[in-house]
Each structure stands twice: as structure tokens, then as C-alpha cells.
Amino acid sequence: MEGMQRVGYDITVKLEHKPGTLADLGEVLGKAEVNIDGICGVPCKGEGLLHILVQDPELTRRVLDEAGFEIAAERQVLLVDVINRPGELGGIARRLADADLNVDLLYLTASMDLVIGVDPIERAAAALED
């Protein structure tokens, strides 16, 4: 495991599961110059749940609220710099499991940061320190 880690902000947005809603969200954030550093979306019971990793959660929340998007949750997440190689996930997950921590959110960013939703985040960060 690379070991470099920091805290980021994940915002979960509920979207109608129909064509155009994702485009609308992307356009609204783009016009406001909000960069999406990481993204993960899945349909769930007729809705789309979209997790976006952003640097400025206050601006993102304001822009989405003004555009009528429903924010389901907002939280701090742990960002861990990883290497694309066999066993990387297993090593990270084992250290968290050995610290009796349960992961409830996981996705990768384009820059190979692993986004980890885990509480308490401080204990997770300590478990992953080299």
C-alpha cells in the first residue's frame, strides 16, 4: 500500500433514474466550476444514487440545492493513494478489518485514490498509517 492518505468530501445525490438527469447535474456543476474528483453511481429502487467527491462541499451543496437536486447525504471520507497491483485492496481492507472497522462506501478516483467511507474516520486513518 502506498500509504499517503487525506480526508475528502463525498456528497450523495438522489437522481431520477431517467435519461438526462445525470447530464443536468454535470452541466450545473460545470457551470459553477465545481470539479468532480471522483464519482460512483448506482440505480437503487427506481432512483439513481450518485456519490461525488468534491473539494468544496459548501459550494457544491449550494449549487445543487439551487438547481433542485436532492442531497441524500454528505460526509467526510478517507482518500488513500493506491497502486494498481494485485493485493492492494486486500491489504487495505485487512488493516481496517483488523481494527474492527466496517467499510460502507468504496470507489476509485481517476487519480488512483481509493475513496473509503468508514466511521470513525480517525481510527481508519490510524489503522492505515505505515
Side-chain angles (χ1 to χ4, degrees), residues 25-35 63:
L25 179 133
E27 290 168 349
V28 163
L29 292 177
K31 286 178 187 171
E33 298 189 14
V34 173
N35 191 50
V63 168

Side-chain angles (χ1 to χ4, degrees), residues 53-111:
L53 180 70
V54 297
Q55 293 181 14
D56 188 340
E58 293 81 18
L59 173 61
T60 305
R61 186 182 333 102
R62 187 177 76 244
V63 168
L64 292 174
D65 283 341
E66 289 173 0
F69 287 97
E70 181 182 350
I71 297 173
E74 179 182 335
R75 70 188 289 189
Q76 287 189 320
V77 290
L78 193 59
L79 305 175
V80 179
D81 187 26
V82 295
I83 297 174
N84 185 13
R85 65 180 174 204
E88 190 78 353
L89 175 62
I92 292 168
R94 176 55 53 207
R95 290 169 84 171
L96 294 172
D98 288 350
D100 198 30
L101 293 164
N102 193 39
V103 173
D104 58 51
L105 175 66
L106 191 69
Y107 59 94
L108 275 174
T109 69
S111 60

